[in-house]
Amino acid sequence: MWQQNYEPVGGSLGLSAAVAAIPVLVLFFMLGVKRKPAWMAALTALAVAFVIALVAYHMPIKLAVTSTATGAAYGIFPIAWIVFASIMLYRLAVDTGKFEVIKDSVGGLTNDRRLQALFIAFSFGAFIEGAAGFGAPVAVSGAMLAGLGFSPFYAAGICLLANTAPVAFGSIGIPIVTLAGITGLPPMLLSAMVGRLCAMISVIIPAYLLIVMVGLGKTLEVLPAVIVCGFSFAGVQFYVSNYVGPDGTSRRTAIRGCQRFLLNTDKHSDFAHAYACVRCGGRS
């Protein structure tokens, strides 16, 4: 029975890791430098990985072919099927005009760009990540922000930063489920450990997001919103990932975060106005 050698290149872990990274670098090169279509870049990287598995890692060709087929099947049915359904739902909402209704409803909650970014990019984006994942949060949330007047490139960057917190449990927990299948470790154990790590990051992501957007001074004007978003998100993320499971962590966390945000929208705006007045020496 073939066993993987983690130091096949000269008995060096560093050199072996460098060789193993070549398919990833090829993928980035094809996408970013050569500007090739995603399917072409993916197939090129797959071919390179296949050759490296045979030549560097001395993987039996039958096992290499089987691994390739298994990976392709897993990518098509659990992953691509979720993405396809999400895109279909998004296109249905856009073509029927319902997406504009959703965008106007969310945008009508507040005119403050900082609060819009927190709600749409962070809270609502986390829900899209939990339900669909794989770029859908940036596409959907970014489109909503762009419709509210944000620069499209700027909106995409904001959504990418905000998506740091929920991505580990994206697409109905596929990353955790996949990791459990590969390692053989219990999914709940992995979910709990990842949830503990992500909860610490989730506390600071809203503040970091706004500091990048508008700077520290403007962020302090909406400090209650930052605290509510960060701690409510992190608390629910910790609880669900540790005691419920990975499949609903991002969705339940996002729903709770949206609820807390909506219940305090007026208070956030009032605090921002009052803090701005104080900074201006009492002038409204």
Side-chain angles (χ1 to χ4, degrees), residues 75-271:
I76 291 173
F77 291 103
I79 297 176
W81 181 250
I82 295 173
V83 177
F84 176 75
S86 302
I87 294 175
M88 289 292 292
L89 181 61
Y90 171 69
R91 290 306 312 171
L92 180 63
V94 170
D95 293 341
T96 58
K98 300 301 182 183
F99 185 77
E100 290 297 319
V101 176
I102 297 173
K103 183 189 71 177
D104 294 340
S105 299
V106 173
L109 295 172
T110 177
N111 293 322
D112 194 315
R113 289 293 182 89
R114 297 162 296 183
L115 298 182
Q116 288 176 346
L118 282 179
F119 183 76
I120 297 175
F122 185 72
S123 297
F124 184 72
F127 179 82
I128 301 299
E129 176 64 42
F134 305 106
V138 178
V140 177
S141 301
M144 295 180 71
L145 289 175
L148 293 174
F150 286 75
S151 165
F153 185 80
Y154 188 61
I158 292 172
C159 292
L160 284 171
L161 286 177
N163 200 43
T164 305
V167 70
F169 297 95
S171 191
I172 322 179
I174 283 291
I176 304 298
V177 174
T178 303
L179 182 61
I182 294 174
T183 61
L185 295 173
M188 278 302 300
L189 176 62
L190 292 173
S191 175
M193 294 307 298
V194 172
R196 293 166 194 172
L197 292 172
C198 289
M200 294 186 290
I201 303 299
S202 299
V203 172
I204 64 174
I205 289 298
Y208 176 67
L209 175 65
L210 292 190
I211 290 173
V212 171
M213 276 184 60
V214 296
L216 179 59
K218 292 290 186 180
T219 299
L220 292 177
E221 293 180 4
V222 290
L223 185 60
V226 171
I227 293 174
V228 167
C229 281
F231 280 91
S232 63
F233 192 99
V236 179
Q237 186 179 52
F238 177 86
Y239 177 81
V240 177
S241 62
N242 278 263
Y243 301 106
V244 179
D247 54 339
T249 298
S250 287
R251 288 174 296 151
R252 297 187 184 194
T253 300
I255 291 172
R256 182 59 175 170
C258 289
Q259 288 175 339
R260 296 300 303 171
F261 186 90
L262 292 174
L263 290 174
N264 294 277
T265 300
D266 292 338
K267 295 178 182 178
H268 299 330
S269 300
D270 292 342
F271 180 88

